[in-house]
Amino acid sequence: MYNGFLVAGLIWSLLIEDHHWSFYIAIFFLSCVLIAGIYGALTASKKSFGYRGFLHSLL
């Protein structure tokens, strides 16, 4: 789920010609993945945040 959402957003941001809009779309999708990781960490285990949320936001 994380990877699919992240890839879709980042590919979409690469296809946008306006650099400011492209940057905002990329930040939005990275933020969504980070928020999903935080939610997963709060509802599952603490390892989930570090493993999924933080590492995926570094991509």
Side-chain angles (χ1 to χ4, degrees):
M1 182 77 177
Y2 293 101
N3 291 335
F5 198 68
L6 182 61
V7 168
L10 293 179
I11 288 175
W12 183 28
S13 71
L14 290 174
L15 297 175
I16 298 172
E17 294 180 9
D18 181 12
H19 295 291
H20 293 291
W21 182 245
S22 175
F23 176 75
Y24 295 143
I25 293 295
I27 293 298
F28 170 75
F29 278 92
L30 289 172
S31 300
C32 289
V33 170
L34 186 61
I35 290 169
I38 292 170
Y39 177 77
L42 293 175
T43 59
S45 69
K46 299 302 176 199
K47 184 179 175 184
S48 178
F49 171 71
Y51 180 71
R52 293 184 179 151
F54 182 69
L55 293 179
H56 286 271
S57 68
L58 294 178
L59 297 175

